[in-house]
Amino acid sequence: MSLGGDVPEPQPRDAVVTAGHTGEGAADLKTHPTDVSPAEFIDGLSPQRRVDDGRALLELFDRVTEQPAVMWGPSMIGYGEIHYRYATGREGDTFRVGFSPRKSAVSLYGLQGHPRSEELLGRLGKHRTAVSCVYVNKLADIDLDVLEQLARHAWTSAPRSC
């Protein structure tokens, strides 16, 4: 059987990020806000360096965003909410900026892709980047004043496209 008739032209689709959340997302998304206290999560970490780094980041992001911290899934702490829709049509809700004090490295989310991000990352100190994360082995490796500027810049910039 062949395709016949009028075949519509493909419609261009772009990725879109908007402030707020909709509750609309792919059924298989595993990362959602939870009722776990971020401070209690951090206090339960080990070794003590992870606790200290987590507390420092909680204080820094609280100060920058002036928003409550929310646990997203079992290990990510996020601030604010955005809704994303990829060009493929897949969509969901996530946080605007945040962090996770993981064992191997601290993961910092939402800090890249803004107008001054590259300049500030260049002054941050020892770190590495991936598609959507900035990784820091320990906070002692970076300039916390620059991290605060970077987080504030990301928070006050428009949500970035994915």
Side-chain angles (χ1 to χ4, degrees):
M1 196 170 192
S2 68
L3 295 176
D6 295 325
V7 177
E9 291 294 319
Q11 298 296 313
R13 293 191 288 189
D14 292 323
V16 177
V17 174
T18 54
H21 66 89
T22 64
E24 298 291 323
D28 61 340
L29 291 177
K30 293 182 172 67
T31 306
H32 303 279
T34 71
D35 293 329
V36 174
S37 160
E40 288 178 15
F41 164 73
I42 289 170
D43 287 344
L45 297 173
S46 64
Q48 187 62 39
R49 179 189 54 79
R50 283 179 67 209
V51 175
D52 295 342
D53 284 358
R55 286 178 181 162
L57 287 169
L58 195 61
E59 181 181 313
L60 186 148
F61 278 89
D62 283 355
R63 184 172 57 250
V64 165
T65 66
E66 298 180 346
Q67 296 291 310
V70 174
M71 287 299 300
W72 283 74
S75 64
M76 294 185 290
I77 298 168
Y79 295 83
E81 290 186 330
I82 57 172
H83 183 77
Y84 62 87
R85 188 183 76 236
Y86 295 133
T88 61
R90 183 176 176 84
E91 61 185 297
D93 296 322
T94 191
F95 50 90
R96 278 186 71 176
V97 296
F99 66 94
S100 181
R102 300 186 188 275
K103 285 183 182 179
S104 60
V106 174
S107 299
L108 303 168
Y109 304 104
L111 304 183
Q112 296 173 244
H114 304 289
R116 292 186 56 221
S117 296
E118 290 306 313
E119 170 212 335
L120 292 166
L121 284 168
R123 297 184 4 227
L124 183 61
K126 186 178 175 183
H127 72 280
R128 61 191 186 285
T129 58
V131 174
S132 62
C133 296
V134 175
Y135 298 104
V136 175
N137 289 336
K138 56 188 181 288
L139 293 189
D141 291 343
I142 62 170
D143 184 328
L144 291 180
D145 291 332
V146 173
L147 176 59
E148 185 164 344
Q149 290 176 47
L150 183 61
R152 188 174 312 282
H153 176 65
W155 181 254
T156 59
S157 295
R160 67 184 185 4
S161 183
C162 40

